Each structure stands twice: as C-alpha cells, then as structure tokens.
Short mmCIF file of all heavy atoms in Angstrom, two decimals:
data_model
loop_
_atom_site.label_atom_id
_atom_site.label_comp_id
_atom_site.label_asym_id
_atom_site.label_seq_id
_atom_site.Cartn_x
_atom_site.Cartn_y
_atom_site.Cartn_z
N GLU A 1 2.98 -4.22 -7.65
CA GLU A 1 1.66 -3.87 -8.21
C GLU A 1 0.79 -5.12 -8.36
O GLU A 1 1.30 -6.19 -8.66
CB GLU A 1 1.82 -3.19 -9.58
CG GLU A 1 2.36 -1.77 -9.52
CD GLU A 1 1.42 -0.77 -8.86
OE1 GLU A 1 0.27 -1.15 -8.52
OE2 GLU A 1 1.83 0.37 -8.68
N PRO A 2 -0.50 -4.99 -8.09
CA PRO A 2 -1.26 -3.76 -7.82
C PRO A 2 -1.25 -3.32 -6.36
O PRO A 2 -2.00 -2.40 -5.99
CB PRO A 2 -2.67 -4.14 -8.24
CG PRO A 2 -2.76 -5.60 -7.89
CD PRO A 2 -1.40 -6.17 -8.19
N ALA A 3 -0.41 -3.95 -5.53
CA ALA A 3 -0.41 -3.64 -4.09
C ALA A 3 -0.20 -2.15 -3.82
O ALA A 3 -0.93 -1.54 -3.02
CB ALA A 3 0.65 -4.47 -3.38
N LYS A 4 0.78 -1.56 -4.49
CA LYS A 4 1.07 -0.14 -4.24
C LYS A 4 -0.13 0.73 -4.60
O LYS A 4 -0.51 1.64 -3.83
CB LYS A 4 2.29 0.28 -5.05
CG LYS A 4 2.64 1.76 -4.91
CD LYS A 4 3.67 2.17 -5.96
CE LYS A 4 3.77 3.67 -6.06
NZ LYS A 4 4.49 4.11 -7.26
N THR A 5 -0.73 0.49 -5.74
CA THR A 5 -1.90 1.27 -6.17
C THR A 5 -3.04 1.13 -5.16
O THR A 5 -3.71 2.11 -4.81
CB THR A 5 -2.36 0.81 -7.56
OG1 THR A 5 -1.32 1.07 -8.51
CG2 THR A 5 -3.64 1.53 -7.99
N PHE A 6 -3.26 -0.08 -4.68
CA PHE A 6 -4.33 -0.33 -3.71
C PHE A 6 -4.06 0.37 -2.39
O PHE A 6 -4.97 0.95 -1.78
CB PHE A 6 -4.49 -1.83 -3.48
CG PHE A 6 -5.12 -2.58 -4.63
CD1 PHE A 6 -5.43 -1.95 -5.82
CD2 PHE A 6 -5.40 -3.93 -4.51
CE1 PHE A 6 -6.01 -2.63 -6.88
CE2 PHE A 6 -5.99 -4.63 -5.55
CZ PHE A 6 -6.29 -3.98 -6.74
N VAL A 7 -2.81 0.34 -1.92
CA VAL A 7 -2.46 1.00 -0.66
C VAL A 7 -2.62 2.51 -0.77
O VAL A 7 -3.17 3.16 0.13
CB VAL A 7 -1.02 0.63 -0.24
CG1 VAL A 7 -0.54 1.54 0.90
CG2 VAL A 7 -0.95 -0.83 0.19
N LEU A 8 -2.17 3.09 -1.88
CA LEU A 8 -2.33 4.53 -2.07
C LEU A 8 -3.81 4.91 -2.12
O LEU A 8 -4.21 5.95 -1.56
CB LEU A 8 -1.64 4.97 -3.36
CG LEU A 8 -0.11 5.01 -3.33
CD1 LEU A 8 0.45 5.26 -4.72
CD2 LEU A 8 0.37 6.10 -2.36
N ALA A 9 -4.61 4.08 -2.74
CA ALA A 9 -6.06 4.35 -2.79
C ALA A 9 -6.66 4.33 -1.39
O ALA A 9 -7.48 5.20 -1.04
CB ALA A 9 -6.75 3.32 -3.68
N ALA A 10 -6.26 3.38 -0.57
CA ALA A 10 -6.77 3.29 0.80
C ALA A 10 -6.35 4.50 1.62
O ALA A 10 -7.16 5.09 2.35
CB ALA A 10 -6.29 2.01 1.45
N LEU A 11 -5.07 4.89 1.50
CA LEU A 11 -4.58 6.05 2.26
C LEU A 11 -5.31 7.32 1.83
O LEU A 11 -5.69 8.15 2.68
CB LEU A 11 -3.07 6.21 2.04
CG LEU A 11 -2.17 5.11 2.61
CD1 LEU A 11 -0.74 5.29 2.13
CD2 LEU A 11 -2.22 5.10 4.14
N ASN A 12 -5.51 7.48 0.54
CA ASN A 12 -6.21 8.67 0.05
C ASN A 12 -7.69 8.67 0.43
O ASN A 12 -8.33 9.73 0.45
CB ASN A 12 -6.07 8.77 -1.48
CG ASN A 12 -4.74 9.40 -1.89
OD1 ASN A 12 -4.33 10.41 -1.32
ND2 ASN A 12 -4.07 8.79 -2.85
N ALA A 13 -8.21 7.50 0.75
CA ALA A 13 -9.60 7.41 1.20
C ALA A 13 -9.73 7.61 2.70
O ALA A 13 -10.83 7.50 3.26
CB ALA A 13 -10.19 6.05 0.80
N GLY A 14 -8.61 7.93 3.35
CA GLY A 14 -8.64 8.18 4.79
C GLY A 14 -8.56 6.94 5.64
O GLY A 14 -8.90 6.97 6.83
N LYS A 15 -8.10 5.82 5.06
CA LYS A 15 -7.94 4.58 5.81
C LYS A 15 -6.47 4.42 6.24
O LYS A 15 -5.57 4.69 5.46
CB LYS A 15 -8.31 3.35 4.96
CG LYS A 15 -9.57 3.49 4.12
CD LYS A 15 -10.84 3.54 4.94
CE LYS A 15 -12.07 3.49 4.02
NZ LYS A 15 -13.34 3.64 4.77
N SER A 16 -6.27 4.00 7.48
CA SER A 16 -4.92 3.63 7.88
C SER A 16 -4.57 2.30 7.22
O SER A 16 -5.46 1.51 6.86
CB SER A 16 -4.82 3.49 9.40
OG SER A 16 -4.92 4.76 10.02
N VAL A 17 -3.27 2.04 7.04
CA VAL A 17 -2.83 0.84 6.34
C VAL A 17 -1.81 0.08 7.18
O VAL A 17 -0.91 0.67 7.78
CB VAL A 17 -2.21 1.19 4.96
CG1 VAL A 17 -1.47 -0.02 4.36
CG2 VAL A 17 -3.29 1.67 4.00
N VAL A 18 -1.97 -1.24 7.20
CA VAL A 18 -0.99 -2.16 7.78
C VAL A 18 -0.52 -3.07 6.65
O VAL A 18 -1.36 -3.65 5.95
CB VAL A 18 -1.60 -2.99 8.92
CG1 VAL A 18 -0.62 -4.06 9.39
CG2 VAL A 18 -2.01 -2.09 10.09
N THR A 19 0.78 -3.20 6.46
CA THR A 19 1.30 -4.00 5.35
C THR A 19 2.40 -4.95 5.80
O THR A 19 3.13 -4.66 6.75
CB THR A 19 1.82 -3.11 4.21
OG1 THR A 19 2.30 -3.94 3.14
CG2 THR A 19 2.95 -2.21 4.67
N SER A 20 2.50 -6.08 5.10
CA SER A 20 3.60 -7.02 5.31
C SER A 20 4.51 -7.07 4.09
O SER A 20 5.40 -7.92 4.00
CB SER A 20 3.04 -8.42 5.57
OG SER A 20 2.34 -8.90 4.43
N ASN A 21 4.30 -6.15 3.16
CA ASN A 21 4.94 -6.19 1.84
C ASN A 21 6.28 -5.48 1.86
O ASN A 21 6.38 -4.28 1.62
CB ASN A 21 4.00 -5.53 0.83
CG ASN A 21 4.41 -5.78 -0.60
OD1 ASN A 21 5.57 -5.98 -0.91
ND2 ASN A 21 3.42 -5.77 -1.48
N LYS A 22 7.37 -6.24 2.12
CA LYS A 22 8.69 -5.61 2.30
C LYS A 22 9.23 -4.98 1.01
O LYS A 22 9.84 -3.93 1.05
CB LYS A 22 9.69 -6.59 2.91
CG LYS A 22 10.39 -7.56 1.98
CD LYS A 22 9.57 -8.79 1.69
CE LYS A 22 9.36 -9.63 2.90
NZ LYS A 22 8.61 -10.88 2.61
N GLU A 23 9.00 -5.61 -0.14
CA GLU A 23 9.53 -5.04 -1.39
C GLU A 23 8.84 -3.72 -1.70
O GLU A 23 9.51 -2.71 -1.99
CB GLU A 23 9.37 -6.01 -2.55
CG GLU A 23 9.93 -5.44 -3.85
CD GLU A 23 9.78 -6.37 -5.04
OE1 GLU A 23 9.15 -7.44 -4.90
OE2 GLU A 23 10.28 -6.02 -6.13
N MET A 24 7.52 -3.71 -1.67
CA MET A 24 6.80 -2.47 -1.96
C MET A 24 7.15 -1.38 -0.96
O MET A 24 7.41 -0.23 -1.34
CB MET A 24 5.29 -2.73 -1.92
CG MET A 24 4.45 -1.48 -2.18
SD MET A 24 2.76 -1.60 -1.59
CE MET A 24 2.98 -1.66 0.18
N PHE A 25 7.18 -1.74 0.33
CA PHE A 25 7.44 -0.73 1.34
C PHE A 25 8.87 -0.21 1.24
O PHE A 25 9.12 1.00 1.35
CB PHE A 25 7.19 -1.28 2.74
CG PHE A 25 7.19 -0.21 3.80
CD1 PHE A 25 6.05 0.54 4.03
CD2 PHE A 25 8.34 0.07 4.52
CE1 PHE A 25 6.06 1.56 4.98
CE2 PHE A 25 8.36 1.07 5.47
CZ PHE A 25 7.21 1.82 5.71
N CYS A 26 9.82 -1.11 1.02
CA CYS A 26 11.22 -0.68 0.88
C CYS A 26 11.38 0.30 -0.27
O CYS A 26 12.04 1.33 -0.13
CB CYS A 26 12.09 -1.92 0.66
SG CYS A 26 13.76 -1.56 0.08
#
C-alpha cells in the first residue's frame, strides 16, 4: 500500500495496468 489501492483504482477506471511489484502481485 498504497500501490494496491492505486492499481485497483486504475483498473476500475478502465485503464490497463503494468506492474513490477512482486510482493503486491504475489
């Protein structure tokens, strides 16, 4: 956090997401 919250906000806004965040993604 806040990475997860920000990614979810982007996805819900209809944006595709590219991430390098292994802990959050795992």
Side-chain angles (χ1 to χ4, degrees):
E1 288 293 355
K4 178 192 166 194
T5 297
F6 287 5
V7 168
L8 286 172
L11 294 171
N12 278 315
K15 317 291 188 184
S16 290
V17 168
V18 173
T19 181
S20 64
N21 193 332
K22 83 276 294 183
E23 181 181 5
M24 179 200 67
F25 191 83
C26 166

